[in-house]
Amino acid sequence: MLTSLSIKNYALIDQLQVDFNDGLSIITGETGAGKSILLGGLSLILGKRADLSSLKDNTQKCIVEAVFNVSNYKLQALFKDEDFDYDDQTIIRREILPSGKSRAFVNDSPVNLSSLQNLGERLIDIHSQHQTLQLTNNDFQFQIIDALANNEESLHKYKKELKQFKTLEKEYSELVSFQAEAIKEHDYHSFLLKELLEANLVDGELKFLEDEYETLNNIEGIKEKLLESYELLNAEQIGVLPTMTALKNSLQKLAGFSAKYDDIYNRVNSSLIEMDDIFGEIENLQDDVEANPSRLEDVDAKLKVIYNLMQKHVASDISELLKIQTELEEKVSFTENLDDTIQKKQNEIDAQTKILDGISEVIHDNRIVAIPKLKSQLEILLASLGMPNAQFKIEAEYSKTFFANGKDALSFLFSANKGGSFNELKKAASGGELSRIMLAIKSVLSNYMQLPTIMFDEIDTGVSGEISNKMGDIMLQMSKTMQVFSITHLPQIAAKGHSHFKVFKEDVNEVTQTNLIKLNHDERIVEIAQMLGGIEMSSSAIAHAKELLN
């Protein structure tokens, strides 16, 4: 419930601070006194977009702050989802800066407007002519029925499963579309894969093949150089090995004369052993080097295949080609197995359909039970509001389509006159009748669910006498379970409030200002008497005002 409201520098309001109680609060005032300004300030708290022109003094910022007791509203989950700091006494503040920028805060934490709107609609329901048009909205009509049907838990479960169902349908549609495209590319991908598989690629073999090609392609030159090396090492007169052997023998004799020659002898001996080993390796290489035209042709062909594949796939080495080969294998395999994948997805959709059907039937059955109750209660209330022949024809027909709130197609028809035909509300009811229907609906809903604070903005327009008295009784009954505000011009309704506030204009230092004050008992008598008989109050108007209050 709204416990206090503070408005500073907004429209004709310089500064206003007022506290509110639970029950039924009445707001009265002359036409043009500023009731719409009050609602405008309150709407900023609920997330309405700010307008720089609403600043009273455009050199100062506008501040609107409201305190709500939200302990009974079960809003902890909403606060968590929106990342608000929860407090039973929640403070919402809205600021409009002279620059035109707007800021909003919930419990001193900055929030965006969409989040503020989500919270605001759970705190205050401002009933206006615009909201009366909700009556003709199919979703709103379902909300009324579902409140009586106690469908909240089932609808929550249904919406969760419907989300999963739509996800599965989307995935199925994407698979079918992908299959149509994949089939077109399947042959090409298969051709590319076949090329890569037939190449029998091995990671790292490119360098080995290139080395082998260079060897086979230059075999005669290699033979010539190996023979030349062989002869340089082993020629009888000038060969390295005979010369080093003679050197070794000469130094060996020196080593016999003195130990200081041992080191040079050992070094020459080690070099001779190494050169002898090199000679043996050259002999082996000569034995291995043979011309092999057939092998050269095979290596050349394999290299050409690899080079062509690298060029075609823009790859720098075989490892990249193997990666592309793996990707093609996956694409080809996926395409070839798409029928199975699509069938599995269809099976999931079928299973999800059964789950939704089960929940939908529960929702439908509950609605069928609730509709006669709603019809009866509304018709009784409307009869007391001067519409004795009002009748509703409400039907929920179970369909094959999954809608956002079940499988029911709703027909919500109305007839205001005896013997009249049933038609849609927007065609069958006048503006004044729609207002009374909305009041009756809100009254019924207040018995079945915790409604936010409701503010009726001149819902009594166009009615008087006993009907206005009954409207006041209905609002008074509603206020037993919720906080109700009524902006009214009717004394019969004004007298029923637990609290009474007056909106008025006054000139301060030659500047017009709007203010709001809470009336005491005597002030209420005066206000209601003026509502009955005008500024020049008669003794009978005062007596009538006292009678209404008593």
Side-chain angles (χ1 to χ4, degrees):
M1 58 172 279
L2 176 65
T3 59
S4 71
L5 178 65
S6 169
I7 301 177
K8 180 180 179 181
N9 194 36
Y10 178 76
L12 295 179
I13 297 174
D14 183 40
Q15 187 153 353
L16 180 152
Q17 168 68 48
V18 61
D19 296 325
F20 300 108
N21 300 318
D22 56 4
L24 175 60
S25 296
I26 300 298
I27 299 177
T28 60
E30 295 292 333
T31 300
K35 296 186 290 295
S36 61
I37 294 175
L38 181 67
L39 290 177
L42 193 58
S43 68
L44 289 176
I45 288 295
L46 305 181
K48 180 185 175 182
R49 294 205 168 274
D51 184 355
L52 186 59
S53 64
S54 60
L55 270 64
K56 187 174 190 292
D57 179 352
N58 58 19
T59 66
Q60 302 291 323
K61 67 180 178 180
C62 163
I63 303 175
V64 183
E65 184 172 284
V67 181
F68 294 88
N69 183 336
V70 299
S71 57
N72 294 328
Y73 288 175
K74 299 178 181 178
L75 294 178
Q76 287 86 345
L78 174 63
F79 273 69
K80 183 177 180 181
D81 291 342
E82 296 289 355
D83 199 25
F84 296 159
D85 293 328
Y86 179 82
D87 194 308
D88 283 348
Q89 298 297 320
T90 285
I91 302 172
I92 300 178
R93 185 171 78 257
R94 188 81 184 276
E95 298 179 357
I96 308 172
L97 306 180
S99 64
K101 291 184 178 179
S102 167
R103 300 185 298 188
F105 302 86
V106 173
N107 294 328
D108 283 333
S109 295
V111 301
N112 58 48
L113 283 191
S114 62
S115 297
L116 185 59
Q117 288 167 0
N118 288 340
L119 175 61
E121 66 187 17
R122 302 286 292 274
L123 299 177
I124 298 184
D125 175 8
I126 298 180
H127 172 84
S128 60
Q129 184 177 3
H130 169 71
Q131 201 213 32
T132 300
L133 298 177
Q134 278 189 319
L135 279 172
T136 63
N137 181 278
N138 200 242
D139 289 338
F140 183 71
Q141 293 166 355
F142 267 121
Q143 289 175 23
I144 301 165
I145 296 168
D146 287 327
L148 273 70
N150 196 25
N151 270 337
E152 182 179 0
E153 185 177 341
S154 295
L155 282 169
H156 178 75
K157 190 186 301 181
Y158 173 86
K159 289 174 182 177
K160 179 182 176 182
E161 299 297 342
L162 181 64
K163 184 178 180 181
Q164 176 63 15
F165 176 79
K166 289 185 178 296
T167 298
L168 291 172
E169 279 197 322
K170 182 181 178 184
E171 290 172 351
Y172 177 85
S173 177
E174 288 173 349
L175 281 171
V176 171
S177 297
F178 178 80
Q179 185 183 45
E181 292 299 319
I183 289 173
K184 296 177 185 177
E185 298 180 348
H186 179 262
D187 290 343
Y188 179 59
H189 287 158
S190 297
F191 169 73
L192 294 178
L193 178 60
K194 183 181 179 183
E195 276 188 328
L196 289 167
L197 291 173
E198 287 178 348
N200 196 24
L201 300 171
V202 178
D203 194 12
E205 72 170 334
L206 181 59
K207 182 67 170 63
F208 175 79
L209 289 170
E210 288 174 336
D211 288 347
E212 187 178 5
Y213 176 82
E214 288 299 318
T215 299
L216 292 171
N217 198 42
N218 296 282
I219 198 69
E220 294 303 325
I222 293 170
K223 277 184 175 183
E224 181 182 333
K225 293 301 178 183
L226 286 174
L227 178 60
E228 183 181 331
S229 299
Y230 179 85
E231 290 176 347
L232 286 170
L233 282 169
N234 203 36
E236 288 186 11
Q237 299 300 322
I238 61 169
V240 175
L241 287 176
T243 301
M244 289 192 71
T245 300
L247 177 60
K248 171 194 165 188
N249 291 336
S250 177
L251 290 173
Q252 188 174 20
K253 291 176 182 179
L254 283 175
F257 295 131
S258 173
K260 65 181 180 181
Y261 302 113
D262 283 350
D263 181 55
I264 192 68
Y265 166 77
N266 288 331
R267 288 169 65 188
V268 170
N269 189 45
S270 294
S271 296
L272 179 59
I273 292 171
E274 178 66 18
M275 293 307 296
D276 191 52
D277 187 61
I278 291 172
F279 177 74
E281 186 68 25
I282 289 174
E283 277 190 310
N284 291 334
L285 288 172
Q286 283 182 307
D287 292 338
D288 290 341
V289 175
E290 292 183 8
N292 191 341
S294 175
R295 176 60 184 164
L296 176 60
E297 187 177 328
D298 290 343
V299 172
D300 182 50
K302 181 68 177 285
L303 284 172
K304 286 179 179 176
V305 168
I306 293 173
Y307 292 148
N308 287 336
L309 289 171
M310 287 169 61
Q311 185 178 17
K312 177 182 285 190
H313 294 283
V314 195
S316 60
D317 54 32
I318 289 180
S319 64
E320 287 191 25
L321 287 176
L322 289 171
K323 183 179 179 182
I324 292 168
Q325 177 179 307
T326 301
E327 291 173 354
L328 286 169
E329 285 174 335
E330 290 174 353
K331 288 179 180 179
V332 170
S333 175
F334 184 70
T335 303
E336 291 175 347
N337 292 290
L338 263 180
D339 284 337
D340 290 340
T341 305
I342 290 173
Q343 185 57 52
K344 287 179 182 177
K345 190 62 64 178
Q346 182 61 58
N347 293 341
E348 291 181 49
I349 291 174
D350 292 342
Q352 193 68 17
T353 299
K354 290 182 180 178
I355 293 173
L356 280 172
D357 279 336
I359 303 172
S360 299
E361 288 174 7
V362 172
I363 293 172
H364 173 75
D365 291 343
N366 290 343
R367 286 170 175 168
I368 293 302
V369 173
I371 285 173
K373 296 179 184 177
L374 174 63
K375 181 177 179 297
S376 174
Q377 292 182 47
L378 288 179
E379 289 173 355
I380 290 172
L381 282 171
L382 289 176
S384 68
L385 292 174
M387 299 172 67
N389 298 314
Q391 285 185 294
F392 288 90
K393 186 177 181 182
I394 308 171
E395 296 176 347
E397 184 179 353
Y398 200 66
S399 71
K400 295 181 179 181
T401 304
F402 289 122
F403 300 112
N405 56 3
K407 295 183 73 173
D408 291 322
L410 182 64
S411 172
F412 203 104
L413 304 179
F414 176 73
S415 173
N417 303 308
K418 199 168 188 177
S421 60
F422 286 94
N423 211 331
E424 295 177 12
L425 274 171
K426 60 184 177 183
K427 296 178 181 178
S430 65
E433 288 170 336
L434 282 175
S435 293
R436 281 178 271 178
I437 293 171
M438 177 62 92
L439 177 61
I441 285 173
K442 295 290 185 181
S443 174
V444 171
L445 288 177
S446 67
N447 295 322
Y448 291 90
M449 57 190 295
Q450 178 64 55
L451 294 176
T453 293
I454 190 167
M455 185 168 288
F456 290 111
D457 182 13
E458 299 184 0
I459 195 171
D460 49 30
T461 299
V463 299
S464 59
E466 183 55 32
I467 295 175
S468 63
N469 190 52
K470 186 59 183 177
M471 291 181 82
D473 287 339
I474 291 174
M475 286 186 271
L476 188 61
Q477 180 63 31
M478 290 173 65
S479 72
K480 291 181 179 179
T481 56
M482 60 184 293
Q483 185 184 37
V484 180
F485 288 88
S486 178
I487 298 174
T488 182
H489 288 292
L490 298 181
Q492 295 91 335
I493 292 177
K496 294 184 184 292
H498 300 106
S499 304
H500 190 153
F501 298 86
K502 180 177 181 178
V503 180
F504 62 95
K505 284 182 181 178
E506 59 181 346
D507 293 334
V508 179
N509 297 325
E510 298 186 353
V511 177
T512 302
Q513 295 183 0
T514 289
N515 213 331
L516 177 72
I517 59 169
K518 185 176 182 179
L519 304 180
N520 59 32
H521 183 72
D522 290 340
E523 290 168 334
R524 288 188 75 182
I525 293 173
V526 172
E527 175 70 7
I528 293 172
Q530 289 179 342
M531 294 173 74
L532 287 165
I535 298 296
E536 301 297 329
M537 294 177 294
S538 64
S539 58
S540 61
I542 293 175
H544 191 186
K546 289 179 179 179
E547 182 183 349
L548 287 174
L549 281 170
N550 292 328

